[in-house]
């Protein structure tokens, strides 16, 4: 939370993808930090996309009253990137 907004500005990032596929459990503090990060980035004109939200993480967020309705969400990072026109090449 402390460094991400300034790094995004210094690197001229306009869209940040946040992949939570490796997160199996989300506690109150982490959920609040993610929400605050996205809100801060939004104020700076940086769009955020969240991917890889597991059902448990979604339920925790709702129970905490966090509103991610204004954030683009996708099941996988591949889907999120594809939606933005970024193609991934897979090894054969």
């Amino acid at each position: 939370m402390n460094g991400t907004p300034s790094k995004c500005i210094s690197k001229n990032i306009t869209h940040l993808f946040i992949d939570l596929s490796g997160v199996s459990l989300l506690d109150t503090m982490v959920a609040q930090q993610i929400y605050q990060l996205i809100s801060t980035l939004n104020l700076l004109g940086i769009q955020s996309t969240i991917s890889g939200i597991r059902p448990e993480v979604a339920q925790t967020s709702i129970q905490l009253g966090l509103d991610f309705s204004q954030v683009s969400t996708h099941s996988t990072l591949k889907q999120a990137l594809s939606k933005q026109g970024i193609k991934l090449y897979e090894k054969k």
Side-chain angles (χ1 to χ4, degrees):
M1 176 63 190
N2 294 332
T4 302
S6 59
K7 284 183 182 179
C8 286
I9 293 294
S10 70
K11 295 183 183 294
N12 294 320
I13 292 173
T14 58
H15 196 136
L16 184 68
F17 294 87
I18 303 168
D19 183 45
L20 301 176
S21 59
V23 178
S24 58
L25 189 62
L26 192 70
D27 65 19
T28 305
M29 186 179 81
V30 174
Q32 288 286 0
Q33 289 286 320
I34 292 170
Y35 185 77
Q36 288 176 357
L37 174 62
I38 290 169
S39 297
T40 301
L41 293 173
N42 186 44
L43 287 173
L44 295 171
I46 300 168
Q47 187 178 9
S48 299
T49 298
I50 299 176
S51 63
I53 298 176
R54 296 175 188 235
E56 303 83 16
V57 173
Q59 289 173 337
T60 300
S61 298
I62 297 301
Q63 290 169 352
L64 294 173
L66 301 178
D67 182 13
F68 287 105
S69 63
Q70 300 301 315
V71 180
S72 179
T73 58
H74 298 278
S75 299
T76 67
L77 181 57
K78 183 177 179 179
Q79 287 176 345
L81 293 172
S82 177
K83 179 79 173 185
Q84 293 299 314
I86 301 169
K87 292 185 178 185
L88 298 178
Y89 296 97
E90 298 179 21
K91 290 184 177 182
K92 293 183 179 182

